[in-house]
Amino acid sequence: MRRMTWFNVTSLTLGFAFLYLPMLILIIFSFNESKLVTVWAGFSTKWYGELMRNTAFLDAAWVTVKVAFISSSLATILGTMAAVVMVRAGRFRGRTMFSGMIYAPMVMPEVITGLSLLLLFISLGMDRGVFTIVLAHTTFAMCYVSVVVSSRLVSFDQSLEEAALDLGCSPVQAFRLVTLPIIAPAVISGWLLAFTLSLDDLVIASFTSGPSATTLPMKIWSSVRLGVSPEINALSTIMILVVAIGVITASLINKRNVVRQRREEAAAEKLA
Amino acid sequence: MRRLLIAVPFLWLLALFIVPFVIVFKISLSDLAVAIPPYTPTLDFAEGWAGIKAFFAELDFENYIWLTEDDLYWKAYLSSFKIAVISTLLTLLVGYPIAYGIARAPQEWRALLFMLVILPFWTSFLIRVYSWMGILSQEGYLNQVLLWIGVINEPLIILNTNIAVYIGIVYTYLPFMILPIYAALEKLDISLLEAAEDLGCSRFSAFWLVTIPLSKQGIIAGSFLVFIPTIGEFVIPSLLGGSRTLMIGKVLWEEFFSNRDWPVASAVAVVLLLILIIPIVLFQRNEQKQREADQ
């Protein structure tokens, strides 16, 4: 193993400073007493208090969580089905089109996805609101879920499933009792990914929502267009911390599972 | 059973991904009208065959001709392309050393560093772009620091210029560049570099002749992952760019929400899609090649 050169240390330090300093500054200045966001005037948590009293933000946050929860759950079901089709279903007519439809939404500019879905909803005469945002988010999130799940499906041993079928399981039972437990971590990461994508989305939600539903990113957007505000700094801090805690917890759980799995495998080898 | 499994996701994507595009294309051939919805003609099945014929007779390519006549549009396409190319190169320049640093870090550090690259990706895109508004503004933190050190005598104007847009894109898309390059560099066998040095290469030329070519796949994948979404970017030019920052995503948004011209917005979307098909196909092919090489 070579020692870290000064060049690598410098590039890592500068790189991570670049990635994290802006968010760190945001967090520090959310505790600023002054309304003037760029001048430090002492420590205060008053903007968090302001935020808690701002019912418009709270309502928007509730709508956002609701949309994210429903759409990510739907997307997980549909995306897992799509992944099973991609990996296990073999050849069928329209397979190329199917995989095209899975990959294309991920690279599509959001403005196009949003515009096209809005025009669909209008030509069907649908009322726009929570329901239409859920449909839109489910559609693009299911593609991400299916990519995450299919990478796990590809890598595990198919003979386990075949064994279950030989031993008299129906295909549904084999999936529920054998396949699903094995791909569960990937399904959960897919759900988490879909959930955060939905929480985060501004452009598609702006196109597909109506006057009855405003999501948090839409609310933040209309506020930050007018400039930097301490209340948004406070809100951003909360969102950054929630995500950071979530990601770190998930990776710790994942790490523990990997360690346990390795131990079990080692034990199984010893027995054999 | 198998048929149902295929049909459900297939029909979902067909109805909510393909059909919407057909509608966009159709509306791009329609005319603007003061009505609800604000375009004409609308398909009226009640009139039977005559209605369908009348409907097709009224569709034309007027909006596309309009796109070529008003120089706002082709300037916006060109400028989006230029901004996407420059910011992809900048992201590569910033991202490569970081990916390299992680790949060369001691084994026990790598997982942590890797997670630190991914973490910003999970936090809100909008907030990450917003965080630069306070830094780059005229009385912002960057100017305060530079004035205090004495590098400059009066504040730099960065916010609401293209420079701010470049900074915003590099910042938000950096993980997309780092991850594939890191994946390529991690697989690289260090003994190849040692062999090159034993055979008389300097460290620098070993890097240039061995490391760079062997991480080519990662560089290509990362560049596409930054370039493709940047072209249609809307949030970054709207928040960090100025009135003179032209990007096609912003034009489409304004055409739709401010001018309420749905047919022209649809035509802008169709042309943008046609432009993007080339890099998307190239990217898919690169990924395919990669997968085959791995097997």
Coordinates of all heavy atoms in Angstrom, one line a residue, chain A residues 90-146:
Chain A
G90 N -37.5 -13.5 -19.3 CA -37.0 -14.0 -20.6 C -37.5 -13.1 -21.7 O -37.7 -11.9 -21.5
R91 N -37.6 -13.7 -22.9 CA -38.0 -12.9 -24.0 C -39.5 -12.8 -24.1 O -40.3 -13.7 -23.8 CB -37.5 -13.6 -25.3 CG -36.1 -13.4 -25.5 CD -35.6 -14.3 -26.6 NE -34.2 -14.3 -26.7 CZ -33.5 -13.3 -27.4 NH1 -34.2 -12.3 -28.0 NH2 -32.2 -13.2 -27.4
F92 N -40.0 -11.6 -24.5 CA -41.4 -11.5 -24.9 C -41.5 -10.3 -25.8 O -40.6 -9.5 -26.0 CB -42.3 -11.2 -23.6 CG -41.9 -10.0 -22.8 CD1 -42.4 -8.7 -23.1 CD2 -40.9 -10.1 -21.8 CE1 -42.1 -7.6 -22.3 CE2 -40.5 -9.0 -21.1 CZ -41.1 -7.7 -21.3
R93 N -42.6 -10.2 -26.5 CA -42.8 -9.1 -27.5 C -42.8 -7.8 -26.7 O -43.5 -7.6 -25.7 CB -44.1 -9.3 -28.3 CG -43.8 -10.2 -29.5 CD -45.1 -10.4 -30.3 NE -45.6 -9.2 -30.8 CZ -46.8 -9.1 -31.3 NH1 -47.5 -10.2 -31.5 NH2 -47.2 -8.0 -31.8
G94 N -42.1 -6.8 -27.2 CA -42.1 -5.5 -26.6 C -41.0 -5.4 -25.5 O -41.1 -4.4 -24.7
R95 N -40.1 -6.3 -25.4 CA -39.1 -6.3 -24.3 C -38.2 -5.1 -24.5 O -37.9 -4.4 -23.5 CB -38.3 -7.6 -24.4 CG -37.5 -7.8 -23.1 CD -36.5 -8.8 -23.2 NE -35.4 -8.4 -22.3 CZ -35.3 -8.7 -21.0 NH1 -36.2 -9.5 -20.5 NH2 -34.4 -8.2 -20.3
T96 N -37.8 -4.8 -25.7 CA -36.9 -3.7 -26.0 C -37.6 -2.4 -25.5 O -37.0 -1.5 -24.9 CB -36.5 -3.6 -27.5 OG1 -36.3 -4.9 -27.9 CG2 -35.3 -2.8 -27.7
M97 N -38.8 -2.3 -25.9 CA -39.6 -1.1 -25.6 C -39.7 -1.0 -24.1 O -39.6 0.1 -23.5 CB -41.0 -1.2 -26.2 CG -41.8 0.1 -26.0 SD -43.3 0.0 -26.9 CE -44.2 1.4 -26.3
F98 N -39.9 -2.1 -23.4 CA -40.1 -2.2 -22.0 C -38.8 -1.6 -21.3 O -38.9 -0.7 -20.5 CB -40.3 -3.6 -21.5 CG -40.7 -3.7 -20.1 CD1 -42.1 -3.6 -19.7 CD2 -39.8 -3.9 -19.1 CE1 -42.4 -3.7 -18.4 CE2 -40.2 -4.0 -17.8 CZ -41.5 -3.9 -17.4
S99 N -37.6 -2.1 -21.7 CA -36.4 -1.6 -21.1 C -36.2 -0.2 -21.4 O -35.7 0.6 -20.6 CB -35.2 -2.5 -21.4 OG -34.9 -2.4 -22.7
G100 N -36.6 0.2 -22.6 CA -36.4 1.6 -23.0 C -37.3 2.5 -22.1 O -36.8 3.6 -21.6
M101 N -38.5 2.0 -21.8 CA -39.4 2.8 -21.0 C -38.9 2.9 -19.5 O -39.3 3.8 -18.7 CB -40.8 2.3 -21.0 CG -41.5 2.5 -22.3 SD -43.3 2.3 -22.2 CE -43.4 0.6 -21.8
I102 N -38.1 1.9 -19.1 CA -37.5 1.9 -17.7 C -36.4 2.9 -17.7 O -36.3 3.7 -16.7 CB -37.0 0.5 -17.3 CG1 -38.2 -0.5 -17.2 CG2 -36.2 0.6 -16.0 CD1 -39.0 -0.3 -16.0
Y103 N -35.5 3.0 -18.7 CA -34.3 3.8 -18.6 C -34.6 5.3 -19.0 O -34.0 6.2 -18.4 CB -33.2 3.2 -19.5 CG -32.6 2.0 -18.8 CD1 -32.8 0.7 -19.3 CD2 -31.8 2.2 -17.7 CE1 -32.2 -0.4 -18.7 CE2 -31.2 1.1 -17.1 CZ -31.4 -0.2 -17.6 OH -30.9 -1.2 -16.9
A104 N -35.5 5.5 -20.0 CA -35.7 6.8 -20.5 C -36.1 7.8 -19.5 O -35.6 8.9 -19.4 CB -36.6 6.8 -21.7
P105 N -37.1 7.5 -18.6 CA -37.6 8.6 -17.6 C -36.5 9.1 -16.7 O -36.5 10.2 -16.2 CB -38.6 7.8 -16.8 CG -39.1 6.8 -17.7 CD -37.9 6.3 -18.5
M106 N -35.4 8.2 -16.5 CA -34.3 8.7 -15.6 C -33.5 9.7 -16.2 O -32.9 10.5 -15.5 CB -33.5 7.5 -15.2 CG -34.3 6.5 -14.3 SD -33.3 5.3 -13.6 CE -32.9 4.2 -15.0
V107 N -33.3 9.7 -17.6 CA -32.5 10.7 -18.2 C -33.3 11.9 -18.8 O -32.7 12.8 -19.3 CB -31.6 10.1 -19.3 CG1 -30.5 9.3 -18.6 CG2 -32.4 9.3 -20.2
M108 N -34.6 11.8 -18.8 CA -35.5 12.8 -19.4 C -35.4 14.1 -18.6 O -35.4 14.1 -17.3 CB -36.9 12.3 -19.3 CG -37.9 12.9 -20.2 SD -37.3 12.9 -21.9 CE -37.3 11.2 -22.3
P109 N -35.2 15.3 -19.2 CA -35.2 16.5 -18.5 C -36.6 16.6 -17.8 O -37.6 16.3 -18.3 CB -35.1 17.6 -19.6 CG -34.5 16.9 -20.7 CD -34.9 15.5 -20.6
E110 N -36.5 17.1 -16.5 CA -37.7 17.2 -15.7 C -38.8 18.1 -16.4 O -40.0 17.8 -16.3 CB -37.4 17.8 -14.3 CG -36.7 16.8 -13.5 CD -36.1 17.4 -12.2 OE1 -35.7 18.6 -12.3 OE2 -36.2 16.8 -11.2
V111 N -38.3 19.2 -17.0 CA -39.3 20.1 -17.6 C -40.2 19.3 -18.7 O -41.4 19.6 -18.8 CB -38.7 21.3 -18.3 CG1 -38.4 22.4 -17.2 CG2 -37.5 21.0 -19.1
I112 N -39.5 18.4 -19.4 CA -40.3 17.7 -20.4 C -41.3 16.7 -19.8 O -42.4 16.6 -20.1 CB -39.4 16.9 -21.4 CG1 -38.5 17.9 -22.1 CG2 -40.1 16.1 -22.4 CD1 -37.6 17.3 -23.2
T113 N -40.8 15.9 -18.8 CA -41.7 15.0 -18.1 C -42.9 15.7 -17.5 O -44.0 15.3 -17.6 CB -40.9 14.3 -16.9 OG1 -39.6 13.8 -17.5 CG2 -41.7 13.1 -16.4
G114 N -42.6 16.8 -16.8 CA -43.6 17.6 -16.2 C -44.6 18.1 -17.2 O -45.9 17.9 -17.0
L115 N -44.1 18.7 -18.3 CA -45.0 19.3 -19.3 C -45.9 18.2 -19.9 O -47.1 18.3 -20.0 CB -44.2 19.9 -20.4 CG -45.0 20.5 -21.6 CD1 -45.8 21.7 -21.2 CD2 -44.1 20.8 -22.7
S116 N -45.3 17.0 -20.2 CA -46.1 16.0 -20.9 C -47.1 15.4 -20.0 O -48.3 15.2 -20.4 CB -45.1 14.9 -21.5 OG -44.5 14.2 -20.4
L117 N -46.8 15.2 -18.7 CA -47.8 14.7 -17.8 C -48.9 15.6 -17.6 O -50.1 15.3 -17.6 CB -47.2 14.3 -16.5 CG -46.4 13.0 -16.5 CD1 -45.5 12.8 -15.3 CD2 -47.4 11.8 -16.6
L118 N -48.6 16.9 -17.5 CA -49.7 17.9 -17.3 C -50.6 17.9 -18.5 O -51.8 17.9 -18.3 CB -49.0 19.3 -17.2 CG -50.0 20.4 -17.2 CD1 -51.0 20.4 -16.1 CD2 -49.3 21.8 -17.2
L119 N -50.0 17.8 -19.7 CA -50.9 17.9 -20.9 C -51.8 16.6 -20.9 O -52.9 16.7 -21.4 CB -50.1 18.0 -22.2 CG -49.3 19.3 -22.3 CD1 -48.4 19.4 -23.5 CD2 -50.2 20.5 -22.2
L120 N -51.2 15.5 -20.4 CA -52.1 14.3 -20.4 C -53.2 14.5 -19.4 O -54.4 14.2 -19.7 CB -51.2 13.1 -19.9 CG -52.0 11.8 -19.6 CD1 -52.3 11.1 -20.8 CD2 -51.2 10.9 -18.6
F121 N -52.9 15.0 -18.2 CA -54.0 15.1 -17.2 C -55.0 16.1 -17.7 O -56.2 15.9 -17.4 CB -53.4 15.7 -15.9 CG -52.4 14.7 -15.2 CD1 -51.3 15.1 -14.5 CD2 -52.6 13.3 -15.3 CE1 -50.4 14.2 -14.0 CE2 -51.8 12.4 -14.7 CZ -50.7 12.8 -14.1
I122 N -54.6 17.2 -18.4 CA -55.6 18.1 -18.9 C -56.5 17.5 -20.0 O -57.7 17.7 -20.0 CB -54.9 19.4 -19.4 CG1 -54.4 20.2 -18.2 CG2 -55.8 20.2 -20.3 CD1 -53.7 21.4 -18.5
S123 N -55.8 16.7 -20.9 CA -56.7 16.2 -21.9 C -57.6 15.1 -21.4 O -58.6 14.8 -22.1 CB -55.8 15.7 -23.1 OG -54.8 14.9 -22.7
L124 N -57.3 14.5 -20.2 CA -58.2 13.6 -19.6 C -59.2 14.3 -18.8 O -60.1 13.7 -18.2 CB -57.5 12.5 -18.8 CG -56.6 11.6 -19.5 CD1 -55.8 10.7 -18.5 CD2 -57.4 10.7 -20.5
G125 N -59.1 15.6 -18.6 CA -60.0 16.4 -17.8 C -59.9 16.1 -16.3 O -60.9 16.2 -15.6
M126 N -58.7 15.7 -15.9 CA -58.5 15.3 -14.4 C -58.3 16.6 -13.6 O -57.6 17.5 -14.1 CB -57.3 14.4 -14.2 CG -57.6 13.0 -14.7 SD -56.1 12.0 -14.9 CE -55.8 11.7 -13.2
D127 N -58.8 16.6 -12.4 CA -58.5 17.7 -11.4 C -57.1 17.5 -10.9 O -56.8 16.4 -10.5 CB -59.5 17.7 -10.3 CG -60.8 18.4 -10.6 OD1 -60.8 19.2 -11.5 OD2 -61.8 18.0 -10.0
R128 N -56.3 18.6 -11.0 CA -54.9 18.4 -10.6 C -54.8 18.7 -9.1 O -55.4 19.6 -8.5 CB -54.0 19.4 -11.4 CG -53.7 18.8 -12.7 CD -53.1 19.8 -13.6 NE -54.0 20.8 -14.0 CZ -53.7 22.1 -14.1 NH1 -52.5 22.5 -13.8 NH2 -54.6 23.0 -14.4
G129 N -54.0 17.9 -8.4 CA -53.8 18.0 -7.0 C -52.9 16.9 -6.5 O -52.1 16.4 -7.2
V130 N -53.1 16.5 -5.3 CA -52.2 15.4 -4.7 C -52.2 14.2 -5.6 O -51.2 13.6 -5.8 CB -52.8 15.1 -3.3 CG1 -52.1 13.8 -2.7 CG2 -52.5 16.2 -2.3
F131 N -53.4 13.8 -6.1 CA -53.5 12.5 -6.8 C -52.6 12.6 -8.1 O -51.9 11.6 -8.4 CB -54.9 12.3 -7.2 CG -55.2 11.0 -8.0 CD1 -54.8 9.8 -7.5 CD2 -55.7 11.1 -9.3 CE1 -55.0 8.6 -8.2 CE2 -55.9 10.0 -10.0 CZ -55.5 8.7 -9.5
T132 N -52.6 13.7 -8.8 CA -51.8 13.8 -10.1 C -50.3 13.8 -9.7 O -49.5 13.3 -10.5 CB -52.3 15.0 -10.9 OG1 -52.4 16.1 -10.1 CG2 -53.6 14.7 -11.6
I133 N -50.0 14.5 -8.6 CA -48.5 14.5 -8.3 C -48.1 13.1 -8.0 O -47.0 12.7 -8.3 CB -48.2 15.4 -7.1 CG1 -48.8 16.8 -7.3 CG2 -46.7 15.6 -6.9 CD1 -48.6 17.7 -6.1
V134 N -49.0 12.4 -7.2 CA -48.6 11.0 -6.9 C -48.4 10.2 -8.2 O -47.4 9.4 -8.3 CB -49.7 10.3 -6.0 CG1 -49.6 8.8 -5.9 CG2 -49.7 10.9 -4.6
L135 N -49.3 10.3 -9.1 CA -49.1 9.5 -10.4 C -47.8 9.9 -11.1 O -47.1 9.0 -11.5 CB -50.3 9.9 -11.4 CG -51.7 9.3 -11.0 CD1 -52.7 9.7 -12.1 CD2 -51.6 7.8 -11.0
A136 N -47.5 11.2 -11.1 CA -46.3 11.6 -11.8 C -45.0 11.1 -11.1 O -44.1 10.5 -11.7 CB -46.2 13.1 -11.8
H137 N -45.0 11.2 -9.7 CA -43.8 10.8 -9.0 C -43.7 9.2 -9.0 O -42.6 8.7 -9.1 CB -43.9 11.2 -7.5 CG -43.6 12.7 -7.3 ND1 -43.6 13.3 -6.1 CD2 -43.3 13.6 -8.2 CE1 -43.2 14.6 -6.3 NE2 -43.1 14.8 -7.6
T138 N -44.8 8.5 -9.0 CA -44.7 7.1 -9.1 C -44.1 6.7 -10.4 O -43.2 5.8 -10.4 CB -46.1 6.5 -9.0 OG1 -46.8 6.9 -7.8 CG2 -46.1 4.9 -8.9
T139 N -44.4 7.3 -11.4 CA -43.9 7.0 -12.8 C -42.4 7.1 -12.9 O -41.7 6.2 -13.3 CB -44.6 7.8 -13.9 OG1 -46.0 7.7 -13.7 CG2 -44.2 7.3 -15.2
F140 N -41.8 8.2 -12.4 CA -40.4 8.3 -12.6 C -39.6 7.5 -11.5 O -38.6 7.0 -11.8 CB -39.9 9.7 -12.8 CG -39.7 10.6 -11.6 CD1 -38.6 10.5 -10.8 CD2 -40.8 11.4 -11.2 CE1 -38.5 11.3 -9.7 CE2 -40.7 12.2 -10.1 CZ -39.5 12.2 -9.3
A141 N -40.3 7.5 -10.3 CA -39.5 6.8 -9.2 C -39.5 5.3 -9.4 O -38.5 4.6 -9.1 CB -40.2 7.1 -7.9
M142 N -40.5 4.7 -10.1 CA -40.5 3.2 -10.3 C -39.4 2.8 -11.1 O -38.9 1.7 -11.0 CB -41.9 2.7 -10.9 CG -42.1 3.1 -12.3 SD -43.6 2.4 -13.0 CE -43.0 0.8 -13.6
C143 N -38.9 3.7 -12.0 CA -37.8 3.3 -12.9 C -36.5 3.2 -12.0 O -35.7 2.2 -12.2 CB -37.6 4.4 -13.9 SG -39.0 4.6 -14.9
Y144 N -36.3 4.1 -11.1 CA -35.1 4.0 -10.2 C -35.2 2.8 -9.4 O -34.2 2.1 -9.2 CB -35.1 5.3 -9.3 CG -34.6 6.5 -10.0 CD1 -35.5 7.4 -10.6 CD2 -33.2 6.8 -10.1 CE1 -35.1 8.5 -11.3 CE2 -32.8 8.0 -10.8 CZ -33.7 8.8 -11.4 OH -33.3 9.9 -12.0
V145 N -36.4 2.5 -8.8 CA -36.6 1.3 -8.0 C -36.2 0.1 -8.8 O -35.5 -0.8 -8.3 CB -38.0 1.2 -7.4 CG1 -38.2 -0.1 -6.7 CG2 -38.4 2.4 -6.5
S146 N -36.7 0.0 -10.0 CA -36.5 -1.2 -10.8 C -35.0 -1.4 -11.1 O -34.5 -2.5 -11.1 CB -37.3 -1.2 -12.1 OG -36.6 -0.6 -13.1

